Amino acid sequence: MLTSLDSLNAGIFSQHLHTQFRLLREGAEPIPLELIEVKESDPSPKIELFTLHFRGPAAPRMAQHIHRLEHDKLGMLEIFLTAIGADAQ
């Protein structure tokens, strides 16, 4: 069962910094991703804006679209992901 994104916010994700998420792929092994940053944007009166930064392997390169992630505490969720670059790690 999918966890509704409406029930999640920056504070909840911040509690799970440096934990592992698994990017699920049909017919392939999951890709491990570490949540390394939760960045809150300017507050809006109608919606909370924040960005999640994950670190994962350099390959395979993920396509930009909605991906299914699994987390031990947060469950299964679908979230839009895009690769933003590589770092030394």
Side-chain angles (χ1 to χ4, degrees):
M1 186 166 117
L2 287 176
T3 300
S4 170
L5 293 181
D6 292 337
S7 66
L8 301 173
N9 59 37
I12 292 170
F13 279 108
S14 292
Q15 295 172 17
H16 299 285
L17 277 171
H18 307 290
T19 64
Q20 292 291 311
F21 287 74
R22 292 169 297 285
L23 187 144
L24 304 177
R25 303 178 302 148
E26 195 169 318
E29 290 292 315
I31 297 173
L33 300 176
E34 178 189 359
L35 180 59
I36 61 168
E37 182 181 26
V38 177
K39 188 175 183 179
E40 294 188 64
S41 300
D42 291 330
S44 166
K46 295 183 181 183
I47 188 168
E48 180 182 16
L49 302 173
F50 60 95
T51 304
L52 305 174
H53 289 181
F54 293 92
R55 178 174 288 131
R61 187 90 168 159
M62 296 182 322
Q64 175 178 297
H65 64 85
I66 296 174
H67 291 274
R68 183 167 283 192
L69 298 180
E70 183 178 47
H71 185 267
D72 291 339
K73 302 283 186 198
L74 299 176
M76 192 109 46
L77 52 126
E78 290 184 334
I79 190 167
F80 183 83
L81 296 175
T82 185
I84 57 172
D87 62 16
Q89 295 180 336

